[in-house]
Amino acid sequence: MTDHPADHEATDPVALLRPVAGDGGLLFCFGLGFSARALARAWMAAGGRVAGTCRSAGKRDQLATEGITAHLFDGSEAMDAAGLADLGRAVAILSSVGPDAGGDAVIRVHGADIAAAAAAGAARGAAPWIGYLSTTGVYGDHGGGWVDETTPTIAAGGRGGRRVAAEQAWSALAPEAPAHLFRLAGIYGPGRSALDTVRAGRAHRVVKPGQVFSRIHVDDIAAVLAASIARPAPGRAYNLCDDEAAPPQDVILHACALLGVTPPPEVPFEEADLSPMARSFYADNKRVRNNRIREELGVRLKYRTYRDGLAAQLAAEAARR
């Protein structure tokens, strides 16, 4: 379990990033999705510039309206010269691109470019910070038991095994700046939470006795990444999760209570109409410790439980009305 100090004050990612980003420092993100864009917003608020990759011209144009320079990259063909130039100028490089059947596409196509940027930065005395967003799935199933960063990762097979291989590739990619590894629990936040699932009519209360999942709010992901950039420890791995692993049906029940709607009925796992992908998530059952982000990076989570995060989302929505 984690502590709950009375003087808890959430980590401010913007304040942490100002010394690095404040003079127009460039953050480069391979994959500008939900998590990376949370860091990007904090980085720009701290005075920095953001560039990165996306897969479509439409997404590139949307990102431009947010002040982000995006370059097309679909995992097969290399970025254009402008993208490579931005990568070479970056003071921080983050990848949130998951591996495919052939391995990590970013390393496959641009590994040499990242290694060259790291070597050039190190020669100037300023190697870039490099981060890779992984998953707590690398630990496999522990029957509801606790895991931390010292827990052995699974050797091979399935999504978890591919992630372990990707972690190893990122760790070995640039000897001058080994990647920081961030093992994320289930990600949620505005537009991607139990509240949104309930409102969309897609909520289910699937019950598998003893099953729990850990979660992390997207704002807390940005805070942990900012803390690592401010206090780099190349090659270090961190678990990103909140303080309370919980059964998934409990989260849906709480969201329904907040919204004042009747919850869907409980359905035994064996009888649930789940896709193969959704069913596979229930194969892993564990509780994830987050001590290292608190003790080594000084992070204090903004949302220590799913109840905190969902309540804040509702309050923010009410304030915008």
Side-chain angles (χ1 to χ4, degrees):
M1 293 296 292
T2 54
D3 60 354
H4 290 264
D7 60 346
H8 175 93
E9 184 175 347
T11 298
D12 179 0
V14 177
L16 287 170
L17 292 172
R18 280 198 184 101
V20 182
D23 293 329
L26 181 64
L27 165 68
F28 192 97
C29 298
F30 283 97
L32 284 157
F34 194 55
S35 299
R37 286 163 75 182
L39 176 63
R41 288 190 294 271
W43 186 276
M44 291 187 291
R49 297 177 295 124
V50 176
T53 69
C54 65
R55 299 176 66 89
S56 71
K59 181 70 174 291
R60 179 187 59 194
D61 295 343
Q62 175 191 340
L63 290 166
T65 67
E66 300 174 22
I68 298 173
T69 301
H71 307 280
L72 296 181
F73 174 63
D74 64 1
S76 58
E77 296 183 3
M79 294 183 292
D80 61 17
L84 292 173
D86 277 341
L87 176 63
R89 286 190 285 264
V91 299
I93 299 169
L94 177 71
S95 178
S96 61
V97 177
D100 55 30
D104 189 289
V106 173
I107 290 180
R108 187 168 61 239
V109 180
H110 283 299
D113 301 313
I114 297 168
R124 298 191 301 269
W129 175 94
I130 298 176
Y132 173 67
L133 300 191
S134 184
T135 167
T136 56
V138 298
Y139 299 118
D141 178 41
H142 285 263
W146 287 96
V147 301
D148 63 20
E149 292 87 349
T150 67
T151 301
T153 55
I154 59 181
R159 293 192 309 274
R162 288 196 294 271
R163 283 289 189 176
V164 172
E167 285 189 0
Q168 293 169 346
W170 277 98
S171 296
L173 178 61
E176 301 86 356
H180 303 75
L181 307 176
F182 302 95
R183 295 167 178 163
L184 277 58
I187 305 165
Y188 78 101
R192 193 179 295 187
S193 75
L195 295 172
D196 303 288
T197 301
V198 171
R199 286 168 171 155
R202 295 183 283 104
H204 303 282
R205 295 176 66 208
V206 177
V207 178
K208 186 178 182 183
Q211 180 78 45
V212 294
F213 293 111
S214 294
R215 296 161 187 81
I216 184 72
H217 193 283
V218 68
D219 289 350
D220 285 321
I221 294 173
V224 174
L225 296 176
S228 173
I229 292 168
R231 190 183 295 182
R236 199 65 163 154
Y238 301 96
N239 290 335
L240 275 64
C241 63
D242 65 19
D243 291 352
E244 183 179 336
Q249 68 271 20
D250 289 5
V251 181
I252 294 297
L253 182 64
H254 186 69
C256 290
L258 290 176
L259 294 171
V261 301
T262 301
E266 292 188 347
V267 178
F269 174 73
E270 295 77 10
E271 301 174 13
D273 182 17
L274 297 173
S275 68
M277 174 69 75
R279 188 169 291 273
S280 70
F281 284 109
Y282 283 80
D284 289 355
N285 184 15
K286 55 185 167 285
R287 290 172 168 82
V288 183
R289 296 190 189 279
N290 62 12
N291 298 57
R292 186 174 286 181
I293 62 172
R294 296 183 296 110
E295 296 168 0
E296 297 187 9
L297 298 179
V299 170
R300 291 296 178 264
L301 298 176
K302 188 174 183 180
Y303 305 112
R304 292 178 289 182
T305 74
Y306 67 87
R307 291 180 294 276
D308 299 329
L310 296 181
Q313 180 176 333
L314 269 186
E317 291 171 357
R320 289 195 295 268
R321 295 191 187 109

